[in-house]
Amino acid sequence: MKKMITTDNLTELWARLAEESTLYLPVQDGPMVLFQPWQEGVQVDLEAFNSAVSPKDIFLPREETYLNYRCSGQALELDAVEDDRAITAFGIHPCDLKAIEMLDRVFIEQDPPDNLYQKRRENTTVVALSCTNPDPFCFCGVFDVNPLDAPGADVMAHLVDGSLHLEARTEKGKALLEKAGDLLEDSTVDIAKREVKTADFGLNVKGLPEDLKSRFEDPVWDELYKSCLSCGVCTYVCPTCYCFDVEDYGHEAKGERFRCWDSCMFGHFTQMAGGHNPRPSRKERVRQRFMHKLQYYHEAYGEIACVGCGRCLRSCPVNLDIVQAIKALGGEKVEQR
Amino acid sequence: MAERNLEQLEKIREVVSQDLLSGRIELLLGWEKGHYWWQSRPLFARSKDDLAKLTWDSFCAVNLSRYLLEELKDHQKVGVLVKGCDSRAFNRLLQDNMVERDRVVLYGLPCPGILDYKLLAAEAGPELKGIAEENGKIVLKTASGEVEVKRDQFLMAKCRECLYPDPVVYDQMLLEPQGKKEAPERFKAVDELETLTPEERFAYWEKELSRCLRCYACRQACPYCSCRECFVEQENPRWQGRAYQPSENFLFHLVRAYHGAGRCIDCGECQRACPVDIPLQELNRKLIKDINELYGDYEAGLDAELEPPLLTYRPDDPAAFSEK
């Protein structure tokens, strides 16, 4: 069913959705737009490109406690933490939804699956939003993402002429539109007529993953890392990075075990007990990150782990982004490998 | 396209390529163009071919001095292009005994201030195709025509209150110096924060720091953060927890700011590097202001011979905490 809602009615829609679920959407926070839970009075920006940090933290929070422990003498009590919230993820762009589907393979399509992630994902209704006006950092087309359509969405939304056009694609999506009920009108706009352009930097990544298989010792790696500052910006804004660390918070008698984001760009990421570090310098770390994106993930799941969201192009303080890496590795249309 | 000053660039290239070819330096740290006309990124040049990529335009924001920490491990002698702030960063590293003066050749570039693409695009819209510059004016080129605007309004936050655009330490000044600048609003934000109650200030910083991803870009871009091991990574004792709690965010940023007291050169690289735009320079400037009020005016990085106030002791130093 194809429906539309005028932007004047959106606040009412969000208020309704937020009654029954935690509603995440792109919210203006100080100078930038981030995915945050809706509350009355927040400034939602559906036209923003792209949220400064990817919405992956809806499913893989920066930090989450998964176990509470209590110790008394020899007795140990463990309580697993459950997250049963219903969630609505509103305004997810096609690139970010594709990235979340890449995380699904890592966290759900495993034995055993990661039940915290899985539950959150199952309890979520995704309202994907096509791209009206991508910014100069967007290059999703290189990775076959269609900025006008997100195949995995429960509801596909399009912002056209001051109205939001909604199409339910799944049962969850239909249920969401039913809640919106009287706020909706029938939509007659032909979405197919729209056209959106994104950058491609002359990239051609076909064959690159296979090619990289034998290029672990390639001299490219001796140069590419030089400007890297060893900060974690690229990994933390990236929608397909998913590494985390586990730590305890508390003391012997009582506390919690939590996991939180970690970054392969940090020196201590691979620091082992006893002091050995298999990735001792920036070179090994930069190689790891780009090989993971362009080769290891592809080898495991058949796709390059980049969706062209452009966040590393925008945020890397020294512009050592994935486009530079792909170019250095020969992934260009003109160049012959 | 961003218009490069080709005459200046040729002059720079001529000097550094001579030094690279003669062996005076083994490596030159400079800038090259990134994917966009508004990005210039670090260049590590070892040959004449490398130098063909060299650029000098209004987007050479990255402080190159910090790369000396790594590059001096692999090279005997390194040349660096330094703007005013980069040269003060070099003095900072020198004072911390992190670099050897005689293994570095500094080429001075008086800096007109770095432009901020975000501000340019906000003015011209996303259709901004490029800019041209002339006599303190910028021409914004868009699909629908050209607009002339004043350059000062489009400087990066870190450059707006710059006092020393000219390098303060160098072996060779490559371009015409422009003299000290005025920065009347340098402490404006700090003054405003000081009028808040402690509770209001706490709420302000709690909100700003709530965005912190703890990616440590501020630290990694900073010329005063040159410790071989940061307290953040120390395992025993463990000072810094990994949790994204307000208390942990405060711990990191406040310890870092206090560590920079009297050592921060106010280059603003921390704030520029921050992916979530936390106003870190306000924290650092609060410390600069306090140090100036307590110990007399001191500009970190200006003179490597002048000891930072907190690294010296004088019997008449104020003891604000013990005075009632």
Side-chain angles (χ1 to χ4, degrees), chain B residues 37 58-59 115-125 128 130-142 145-155:
Chain B
W37 55 263
S58 293
F59 299 96
L115 297 177
D116 188 337
Y117 168 71
K118 269 188 274 182
L119 299 176
L120 295 167
E123 175 77 17
L128 183 61
I131 60 165
E133 292 189 56
E134 203 178 343
N135 301 329
K137 296 261 169 67
I138 306 174
V139 178
L140 305 172
K141 299 177 176 175
T142 68
E146 299 190 348
V147 191
E148 197 178 86
V149 290
K150 276 177 81 174
R151 190 177 194 281
D152 285 358
Q153 296 163 347
F154 299 91
L155 293 178

Side-chain angles (χ1 to χ4, degrees), chain B residues 190 194 281-291:
Chain B
V190 175
E194 284 174 349
Q281 225 167 343
E282 288 171 13
L283 271 185
N284 286 319
R285 281 185 176 159
K286 167 66 179 159
L287 273 293
I288 292 172
K289 190 180 170 216
D290 283 356
I291 293 272

Side-chain angles (χ1 to χ4, degrees), chain A residues 62 227 245 247 268 321, chain B residues 35 67 212 233 238 242 244:
Chain A
R62 281 196 270 169
S227 61
D245 193 11
E247 197 166 280
H268 62 247
D321 47 62
Chain B
H35 312 304
Y67 288 110
C212 178
E233 274 91 31
R238 187 66 175 272
R242 288 281 176 83
Y244 288 96

Side-chain angles (χ1 to χ4, degrees), chain B residues 38-272:
Chain B
W38 66 84
Q39 287 181 347
S40 298
R41 65 188 178 207
L43 170 72
F44 298 77
R46 272 181 234 90
S47 68
K48 213 166 173 180
D49 283 352
D50 293 341
L51 281 181
K53 294 183 236 164
L54 188 72
T55 194
W56 169 241
D57 63 11
S58 293
F59 299 96
C60 298
V62 183
N63 176 351
L64 301 173
S65 298
R66 221 198 115 102
Y67 288 110
L68 288 169
L69 295 173
E70 294 293 335
E71 295 306 328
L72 284 174
K73 290 178 192 164
D74 301 329
H75 301 90
Q76 194 48 43
K77 200 119 186 203
V78 178
V80 197
L81 299 180
V82 288
K83 311 186 292 289
C85 54
D86 306 344
S87 75
R88 285 178 288 123
F90 179 79
N91 270 344
R92 162 85 276 118
L93 298 174
L94 202 58
Q95 279 185 311
D96 289 344
N97 291 322
M98 299 308 279
V99 292
E100 293 164 69
R101 180 67 186 90
D102 57 3
R103 289 179 57 200
V104 180
V105 178
L106 298 169
Y107 303 97
L109 296 175
C111 172
I114 304 301
L115 297 177
D116 188 337
Y117 168 71
K118 269 188 274 182
L119 299 176
L120 295 167
E123 175 77 17
E127 291 300 298
L128 183 61
K129 297 271 180 283
I131 60 165
E133 292 189 56
E134 203 178 343
N135 301 329
K137 296 261 169 67
I138 306 174
V139 178
L140 305 172
K141 299 177 176 175
T142 68
S144 53
E146 299 190 348
V147 191
E148 197 178 86
V149 290
K150 276 177 81 174
R151 190 177 194 281
D152 285 358
Q153 296 163 347
F154 299 91
L155 293 178
M156 279 196 163
K158 70 177 219 147
C159 301
R160 266 172 247 154
E161 299 297 315
C162 173
L163 280 166
Y164 302 98
D166 297 335
V168 296
V169 53
Y170 52 87
D171 294 285
Q172 200 170 344
M173 188 73 100
L174 297 186
L175 305 171
E176 198 60 37
Q178 38 186 306
K180 195 183 165 201
K181 283 207 321 196
E182 298 295 320
E185 298 197 342
R186 188 179 179 199
F187 296 111
K188 193 178 162 204
V190 175
D191 291 341
E192 280 166 14
L193 283 172
E194 284 174 349
T195 64
L196 302 179
T197 64
E199 291 74 25
E200 288 168 334
R201 271 210 300 274
F202 188 84
Y204 171 81
W205 283 109
E206 193 173 35
K207 179 153 183 20
E208 291 295 331
L209 295 180
S210 71
R211 292 196 301 276
C212 178
L213 302 169
R214 299 256 292 288
C215 65
Y216 302 118
C218 48
R219 179 189 69 178
Q220 296 307 107
C222 172
Y224 75 63
C225 275
S226 58
C227 295
R228 290 201 177 87
E229 188 184 24
C230 177
F231 79 98
V232 166
E233 274 91 31
Q234 273 175 353
E235 291 289 342
N236 194 13
R238 187 66 175 272
W239 309 104
Q240 176 77 65
R242 288 281 176 83
Y244 288 96
Q245 298 296 324
S247 61
E248 299 289 358
N249 288 348
F250 270 98
L251 179 84
F252 168 61
H253 287 288
L254 294 186
V255 170
R256 202 184 90 82
Y258 272 91
H259 197 180
R263 298 170 63 242
C264 169
I265 59 157
D266 203 8
C267 66
E269 275 290 86
C270 49
Q271 193 163 321
R272 185 186 71 81

